[in-house]
Amino acid sequence: MSTKSVEFLVRRTPELGMDGRPVQVPVLPDGMVPELHGEHMLINIGPQHPATHGVLRLVLELDGETVVKCTPHIGYLHSSFEKLGEYRTWNQVIPLTDRMDYLAPLIYNCAYAMAVEKLMGIEVTERCKVVRVICMELDRIFSHLLWVGTTAIDIGAFTVFLYTFQERERIYDLHEAFTGARITTSSTRIGGMMADLPSGWIEALRDFVDTLPKTLDETEALLTRNNLWVGRNKDIGVISGADALDWGLTGPNLRASGVAYDIRRDRPYYDYDSYDFDVVTGEQGDCYDRYLVRMEEMRQSLRILDQAIRRLPGGPINVGDPRLILPGKTDLMSDMESMIHHFKVVMEGVKAPADESWFSVESSKGELGMYVVSDGGSKPVRWRVRGPSFINLSALPKMVEGHLLSDVIAINASIDIVLGEIDR
Amino acid sequence: MAIGVRVVRAPEANTSYFRASLQGMALTFRHLVRPHKPVLQYPDVKPELAPRWRGTHRMAVHADGRPKCVACGLCPTICPSNCIRLVPGEDDQGNRYPVVYEIDEFRCIFCGMCQEVCPVEAIHVGQDYENAEFTRERFVYDLDRLMAQDHPVTALWDPEDPLGQ
């Protein structure tokens, strides 16, 4: 430290007068200019913050109000789901899957069951396929409705949240009538579903499909052309299509950047290629396009639901293999052979051949991959989840760089993460 | 191809502060005069539960007051959260019965698999959710308490669709 700066520091100490107040405002020595661009400031958002959508901690390095660097810290919700799965039989893993993404539980139930069925070489029944398509599209709407509501709250529009949550409540009721739980559905089983659709469920779903567009219209009336909403979202968090691909973004975040990649179209499963719907893409790749893409995706999901309700075939929902599916209670109590199968399925668990399989579906947040490895026993040796939220979150530092502090909230909301799945 | 690509475009014009605010207020005012009252006055008004609602357990009993459970051991095997403790016993006629049957409702994740696998329809998840207690110990339900529950049980097996087990 030079003599000059020491002198400067000494002179900065204010001299106090008789009344205890500084009598002399310190002046800078000749030749020194005030240092306006000082040290960067570190601020901490989270882990307990309403705008981080869970327990995410963001450490932001700010230059003034501009973000220089953003470091997401995760792991506060770590539940070790993948490791727990290694100590559970194939069917016992299913309750773990819906607790990952509690905003779209049925998609995770279905994706896991599909991966195990692929491993075992099981073809599910036609009815089960359509029921699972209904489940997955319903939960895509379920997740997107929450996204619109909470993002609007983060940005400052409160009313949308109330309207979309009333619609979500109706999906909760549909979940409850079908699976018996509102969030922790645990609805699939290897080779089928926990139970068939209850009577009257399709009519309730039809009513929902017919009336949801009204709420979507109201949401768009409140937001789409509102200059406050446009100003907070447009040209914020822009990521180009090439960058989005490099960062591994999938789902609405990638499509908003103009890349028409949708697993339902590019690697169709469950006859998605025979449904009539559009892959929705944006142009700019900013927060506003992500909003537009999700709003339109809900309408496309309604189209798929409408077609699925019409084509829902009759017949059994579970495969007829007694090594996989528990017999009905009437058979169980009257037929000795059913009783033996029942005990064997429960005590030994469903067996899978020694192999591995990968299955990916288009979840509400992006490409959801399930990787299961079996050694021929009744438990997975390894169960790995390619979570879309985790990989989408990794692009957050890239998106927020150079934006203002308040835009971090908008961008973080716009990529639609769920921390249960990030931490797993 | 049935699956098309739709490009959504941001509106170039027609965005506004004033008109959007008025439109928004008109919309919320319409909701104000035509409310459909989604709020439930909970402790006074209870929500109507679906028949498949999975809640607090209940053990079915025979007419003479014995539990229906035959201590086969399927429910502790299938339980993904290991919350059922069962010690089987056998009476002098050779009938198996549970000496100890405890369910830790804290560990339970209410997946309903115990009811799904029960071969004698003894253990059930029920349509009850008001199970708060003051101590942790009270959450471990023993056999007497499970048999004393009187709430309706879950209809996981819908008689109207026999294949829906």
Side-chain angles (χ1 to χ4, degrees):
Chain A
M1 195 178 276
S2 69
T3 328
K4 199 172 180 182
S5 63
V6 170
E7 185 190 6
F8 168 65
L9 285 174
V10 170
R11 284 184 60 188
R12 287 285 296 226
T13 310
E15 293 170 17
L16 302 181
M18 297 294 284
D19 55 351
R21 295 183 170 200
V23 290
Q24 185 189 357
V25 178
V27 291
L28 292 170
D30 296 340
M32 286 193 78
V33 288
E35 186 93 8
L36 290 180
H37 292 278
E39 287 180 2
H40 289 168
M41 185 167 72
L42 281 181
I43 76 161
N44 189 43
I45 303 183
Q48 308 280 335
H49 190 278
T52 53
H53 293 208
V55 278
L56 170 68
R57 176 171 161 233
L58 295 174
V59 176
L60 299 169
E61 193 178 326
L62 297 179
D63 180 8
E65 213 184 337
T66 312
V67 178
V68 180
K69 191 181 170 199
C70 166
T71 316
H73 289 248
I74 61 171
Y76 293 95
L77 208 57
H78 182 60
S79 318
S80 177
F81 285 138
E82 290 176 4
K83 190 69 184 168
L84 283 172
E86 294 170 16
Y87 295 89
R88 271 148 185 79
T89 59
W90 295 107
N91 268 325
Q92 281 178 327
V93 175
I94 286 166
L96 295 174
T97 57
D98 48 44
R99 282 157 174 82
M100 277 192 201
D101 188 348
Y102 36 80
L103 307 180
L106 286 171
I107 299 182
Y108 278 61
N109 287 166
C110 291
Y112 170 77
M114 284 178 209
V116 180
E117 279 153 11
K118 187 181 172 192
L119 175 70
M120 298 184 186
I122 304 165
E123 182 79 9
V124 294
T125 60
E126 289 300 313
R127 182 175 173 84
C128 184
K129 281 183 185 174
V130 179
V131 168
R132 284 189 183 173
V133 165
I134 289 176
C135 286
M136 287 191 283
E137 293 307 319
L138 191 63
D139 271 27
R140 192 182 317 282
I141 297 172
F142 191 55
S143 174
H144 284 354
L145 279 176
L146 178 121
W147 176 83
V148 174
T150 53
T151 302
I153 278 200
D154 285 351
I155 291 178
F158 187 77
T159 317
V160 180
F161 175 81
L162 299 175
Y163 295 169
T164 58
F165 258 63
Q166 285 174 24
E167 295 302 316
R168 258 175 77 83
E169 184 66 28
R170 296 165 68 196
I171 305 186
Y172 276 134
D173 288 343
L174 288 170
H175 278 178
E176 189 185 320
F178 179 23
T179 70
R182 290 155 66 82
I183 296 179
T184 53
T185 51
S186 312
S187 64
T188 56
R189 296 289 181 269
I190 310 301
M193 304 297 276
M194 177 180 85
D196 207 339
L197 300 175
S199 54
W201 196 80
I202 284 295
E203 289 73 26
L205 177 66
R206 161 62 68 190
D207 179 52
F208 173 77
V209 170
D210 288 343
T211 49
L212 180 67
K214 182 166 173 287
T215 305
L216 295 183
D217 289 342
E218 285 178 347
T219 307
E220 294 208 319
L222 283 171
L223 296 179
T224 303
R225 290 181 186 279
N226 188 333
N227 226 350
L228 295 167
W229 178 258
V230 176
R232 283 301 301 274
N233 280 306
K234 202 147 175 45
D235 299 326
I236 302 295
V238 181
I239 188 161
S240 69
D243 275 346
L245 283 173
D246 285 349
W247 282 88
L249 290 189
T250 43
N253 298 322
L254 176 64
R255 289 194 285 275
S257 299
V259 183
Y261 175 71
D262 190 324
I263 300 176
R264 292 175 293 174
R265 183 188 70 157
D266 297 332
R267 269 176 284 149
Y269 47 92
Y270 285 178
D271 305 331
Y272 259 115
D273 43 355
S274 66
Y275 288 92
D276 214 8
F277 68 100
D278 290 340
V279 175
V280 188
T281 65
E283 284 176 325
Q284 311 289 328
D286 54 3
C287 291
Y288 192 78
D289 273 10
R290 280 172 225 140
Y291 156 73
L292 288 177
V293 164
R294 288 201 176 90
M295 289 305 286
E296 184 58 33
E297 265 189 18
M298 280 193 263
R299 294 181 193 276
Q300 299 300 330
S301 288
L302 287 178
R303 275 176 74 189
I304 298 176
L305 279 176
D306 179 56
Q307 296 162 51
I309 291 171
R310 279 191 210 151
R311 73 164 70 171
L312 182 67
I317 195 162
N318 293 338
V319 294
D321 192 341
R323 287 170 301 176
L324 297 170
I325 297 291
L326 298 176
K329 294 270 180 186
T330 320
D331 287 349
L332 175 64
M333 293 189 195
S334 57
D335 182 16
M336 193 61 214
E337 203 165 313
S338 297
M339 179 72 94
I340 293 169
H341 282 307
H342 184 88
F343 271 75
K344 273 182 84 73
V345 168
V346 177
M347 297 306 276
E348 295 176 5
V350 178
K351 293 278 187 348
D355 202 353
E356 57 182 26
S357 85
W358 163 269
F359 197 90
S360 60
V361 303
E362 182 74 27
S363 98
S364 59
K365 301 178 178 62
E367 176 171 358
L368 166 66
M370 291 276 182
Y371 175 63
V372 283
V373 185
S374 166
D375 63 350
S378 58
K379 292 174 182 175
V381 170
R382 179 84 172 93
W383 167 46
R384 157 99 182 119
V385 181
R386 187 259 188 226
S389 297
F390 177 73
I391 293 165
N392 289 351
L393 177 68
S394 68
L396 177 71
K398 156 93 179 150
M399 288 190 210
V400 300
E401 260 172 37
H403 283 290
L404 299 182
L405 175 60
S406 55
D407 293 334
V408 173
I409 302 299
I411 296 167
N412 183 34
S414 78
I415 58 174
D416 192 14
I417 50 172
V418 53
L419 268 294
E421 183 251 88
I422 289 174
D423 293 340
R424 289 201 280 283
Chain B
M1 193 173 177
I3 307 178
V5 175
R6 171 175 303 196
V7 182
V8 286
R9 287 193 173 78
E12 294 293 327
N14 287 334
T15 61
S16 65
Y17 292 106
F18 190 65
R19 197 174 56 240
S21 304
L22 281 184
Q23 277 176 349
M25 275 190 265
L27 182 63
T28 45
F29 189 74
R30 280 206 298 278
H31 274 261
L32 179 71
V33 296
R34 272 193 294 123
H36 63 281
K37 290 190 181 145
V39 176
L40 203 66
Q41 301 295 335
Y42 162 60
D44 303 324
V45 184
K46 302 263 167 86
E48 197 177 322
L49 300 180
R52 290 181 181 177
W53 172 275
R54 309 192 296 250
T56 318
H57 291 87
R58 179 181 171 184
M59 173 70 77
V61 291
H62 285 297
D64 58 356
R66 287 180 300 117
K68 279 192 178 177
C69 176
V70 294
C72 65
L74 286 192
C75 49
T77 310
I78 198 70
C79 181
S81 58
N82 265 335
C83 69
I84 305 179
R85 179 165 160 257
L86 169 70
V87 177
E90 208 169 294
D91 64 9
D92 39 11
Q93 279 115 38
N95 296 322
R96 285 168 67 90
Y97 69 98
V99 179
V100 177
Y101 192 98
E102 283 177 358
I103 295 187
D104 189 343
E105 301 280 325
F106 258 165
R107 284 192 68 94
C108 179
I109 57 172
F110 300 103
C111 59
M113 284 186 180
C114 46
Q115 175 174 356
E116 192 178 328
V117 301
C118 184
V120 290
E121 292 189 325
I123 189 67
H124 289 88
V125 279
Q127 298 189 36
D128 178 53
Y129 49 89
E130 292 171 322
N131 49 3
E133 298 284 356
F134 286 104
T135 58
R136 301 182 77 85
E137 293 74 35
R138 289 274 298 158
F139 276 94
V140 181
Y141 287 19
D142 60 5
L143 188 58
D144 291 337
R145 184 144 175 224
L146 287 168
M147 284 158 60
Q149 303 279 352
D150 55 357
H151 49 74
V153 297
T154 300
L156 270 187
W157 180 54
D158 193 349
E160 286 182 34
D161 49 2
L163 293 169
Q165 164 51 35

